[in-house]
Amino acid sequence: FLGHEYPELDIEAALVENAAQVDRFQLFESLLLPLEKITESVRYHPESDALYHSLQVFDLARHEMAYDEEFLSAAILHDVGKAIDRENHVVTDRTAWLIEHHMLAHQLAEGTLGARARRRLEESEHYDDLVLLGECDRAGRQVGIVTPELDEALDYLRQLGEQFS
């Protein structure tokens, strides 16, 4: 049918090209699932594993900026480096910046970040988002909090991407 309706279409090439494209949400899932086996110091993370923490941070961020796909991606992916190489993910520059600097947001909140480092962060157009991500990250350390399932969180992000693409 496609060959008849679209004679100029190289169906085999289109299938190969489509198969080569990575669904970023499948990639996100593959980055996030290993976090379920990552436990951290109970002193800083009493909530249990890093996946549960990431889902809490995502849910808190969704309540703050429900329509900001990049921010929400940073919220759910902020700790993936704990399970795998941080360089192996495909995200926007803004999301990558938020993930890269999220630990500095904690130093900023604690007042332990140096003046020059603080000024460099403040110069970024994403500074306020980084502060908010840090707040969500610190608040997402509760025991017994109901969070969305990973599939639900990724579906939410997928729907945002579809709405604004």
Side-chain angles (χ1 to χ4, degrees):
F1 172 77
L2 289 175
H4 184 274
E5 293 294 316
Y6 303 97
E8 73 283 354
L9 177 66
D10 182 349
I11 295 173
E12 291 300 319
L15 288 172
V16 169
E17 180 182 335
N18 189 42
Q21 292 180 357
V22 175
D23 175 2
R24 67 188 157 112
F25 299 105
Q26 289 176 334
L27 179 60
F28 290 177
E29 183 176 23
S30 71
L31 294 171
L32 289 160
L33 284 175
L35 293 180
E36 193 169 29
K37 295 182 175 139
I38 305 294
T39 57
E40 301 187 79
S41 164
V42 176
R43 177 178 177 202
Y44 298 107
H45 285 278
E47 68 278 9
S48 91
D49 61 69
L51 178 58
Y52 181 53
H53 166 71
S54 294
L55 290 168
Q56 283 189 46
V57 174
F58 169 81
D59 204 35
L60 290 162
R62 182 169 54 171
H63 289 292
E64 296 292 333
M65 298 176 76
Y67 297 102
D68 191 329
E69 182 184 0
E70 291 174 329
F71 181 75
L72 295 175
S73 295
I76 199 164
L77 295 171
H78 77 280
D79 276 345
V80 297
K82 293 179 178 178
I84 61 162
D85 181 2
R86 178 170 66 113
E87 300 302 316
N88 283 336
H89 60 271
V90 179
V91 294
T92 67
D93 290 341
R94 177 175 170 235
T95 300
W97 188 88
L98 289 167
I99 292 169
E100 180 181 347
H101 293 91
H102 87 274
M103 291 304 294
L104 295 177
H106 297 297
Q107 293 177 24
L108 185 65
E110 295 162 358
T112 60
L113 188 64
R116 273 187 273 166
R118 181 186 178 116
R119 277 194 301 275
R120 279 193 302 271
L121 288 179
E122 289 173 341
E123 289 172 1
S124 171
E125 65 184 301
H126 310 305
Y127 174 77
D128 292 333
D129 298 335
L130 179 66
V131 171
L132 182 57
L133 178 61
E135 291 170 4
C136 292
D137 189 17
R138 285 186 303 284
R141 300 173 185 207
Q142 305 299 313
V143 177
I145 298 296
V146 176
T147 66
E149 295 293 325
L150 179 56
D151 290 345
E152 179 187 342
L154 294 176
D155 284 345
Y156 186 88
L157 285 171
R158 183 179 284 113
Q159 289 170 7
L160 275 181
E162 290 169 358
Q163 286 178 353
F164 297 106
S165 58

